[in-house]
Amino acid sequence: MTDATTSVAAAQAVRAAAARLLTAAAAGEPCAPVRDLIGADDVHAAYAVQELVTQARVAAGTAVTGRKIGLTSEAVQRQLGVDQPDFGFLFSDMAYLGGDVVPVGAVLQPRVEAEIAFTLASDLAEGRLDEAQVRAAIGHAIPALEICGSRISGWDIRFGDTVADNASAGAYVLGPVRARLDQFEPRVAQMTMSIDGVEVSSGTGAACVGDPINAVVWLAQKARELGEPLRAGQVVLSGALGPMRPVAPGQTVRAEISGLGSVTFTLDEPNDKEQV
């Protein structure tokens, strides 16, 4: 097989994987993993699929509102056989405010985790993109709940699957508190998360690759490397502070993050929602 033939076959596989995921999302029915098409750990192919899915969503009228960082837990990285996080895009139709009702059909196979979100006050496109620059670019920290979702049946994922599937992004909920980094230190934050009043997860800022700021540094560098730098006004979900848990229709999820307060949502039947 020539190099040209191999390249054509690889491009066809990427398009087929994107089509499979887009069809699953449109139908509301999970699909088979895409690693049979692109491999389980081909980072380049997985992000190429993610790019096609993102382009399709933007073409359909959905705006990019930021990024999410996944695989920030060392345990999850070991499970998937990788040594770095991944990222996906956030879109305007994923965004909810604390107290909102999130429709049951908004996220396939929903699982929830508590995170610290950051809003960017300036671009992260030039310079060293080190910790000092990232801290200076952050406008505020916000308590957040990420509702992860998988278009892949039974969450049967490997690294290539989750990257291709937009890092298993589903929806996100931002709380009411906004804190500057001179008022709040993410690394030492304490988190508890409950479902219907029962604690189901806990952790600290240090559980997110040592410091949520470290995750944003990684993302800023990776996003620029791939040609889509982080921009002012975007939201960044920095990664889970504790274990992810499944959530069922009718349940209410609440997270408390020290220094930031609480954020909550209910997964239930559709209502009009207020966009962030």
Side-chain angles (χ1 to χ4, degrees):
M1 185 178 293
T2 66
D3 289 344
T5 302
T6 301
S7 179
V8 169
Q12 290 174 336
V14 165
R15 289 195 295 271
R20 183 182 294 179
L21 292 167
L22 287 166
T23 298
E29 293 290 340
C31 62
V34 297
R35 57 183 179 270
D36 64 314
L37 298 169
I38 63 169
D41 55 6
D42 187 331
V43 177
H44 176 78
Y47 278 114
V49 175
Q50 185 188 111
E51 182 178 1
L52 289 182
V53 172
T54 298
Q55 289 172 356
R57 295 195 65 170
V58 171
T62 305
V64 172
T65 55
R67 308 288 176 87
K68 64 148 289 182
I69 307 169
L71 306 182
T72 54
S73 161
E74 290 184 4
V76 176
Q77 289 182 9
R78 287 195 299 271
Q79 180 184 2
L80 296 182
V82 297
D83 61 358
Q84 64 176 334
D86 69 349
F87 75 83
F89 285 82
L90 301 176
F91 298 97
S92 54
D93 60 359
M94 293 180 174
Y96 294 82
L97 294 175
D100 276 352
V101 172
V102 178
V104 294
V107 182
L108 284 177
Q109 306 180 105
R111 299 180 179 182
V112 64
E113 57 191 27
E115 309 191 11
I116 297 169
F118 299 102
T119 57
L120 298 181
S122 57
D123 291 352
L124 286 169
E126 305 293 339
R128 297 181 54 161
L129 303 184
D130 57 10
E131 180 184 356
Q133 184 178 354
V134 166
R135 281 183 171 271
I138 289 172
H140 296 95
I142 309 168
L145 287 162
E146 181 183 359
I147 311 170
C148 301
S150 182
R151 271 57 60 178
I152 294 170
S153 182
W155 280 84
D156 178 15
I157 59 174
R158 302 294 183 269
F159 184 68
D161 298 307
T162 188
V163 170
D165 189 24
N166 197 30
S168 303
Y172 65 99
V173 185
L174 300 182
V177 174
R178 306 291 194 268
R180 300 189 311 271
L181 293 187
D182 61 357
Q183 303 169 314
F184 169 74
E185 181 51 57
R187 182 181 60 82
V188 300
Q190 303 286 320
M191 179 279 294
T192 59
M193 184 176 76
S194 63
I195 296 179
D196 288 344
V198 178
E199 184 176 317
V200 296
S201 180
S202 64
T204 70
C208 180
V209 291
D211 186 336
I213 299 297
N214 293 340
V216 184
V217 170
W218 174 86
L219 174 63
Q221 295 172 355
K222 189 70 172 180
R224 182 174 68 179
E225 175 189 327
L226 295 177
E228 292 284 349
L230 301 178
R231 298 297 183 183
Q234 291 185 337
V235 175
V236 174
L237 299 182
S238 60
L241 305 185
M244 180 169 61
R245 300 300 186 202
V247 58
Q251 292 185 323
T252 296
V253 183
R254 179 184 181 90
E256 295 274 353
I257 299 177
S258 61
L260 289 179
S262 65
V263 54
T264 184
F265 76 90
T266 299
L267 186 67
D268 214 331
E269 294 303 322
N271 282 328
D272 291 337
K273 71 184 181 71
E274 182 180 357
Q275 291 284 347
V276 174

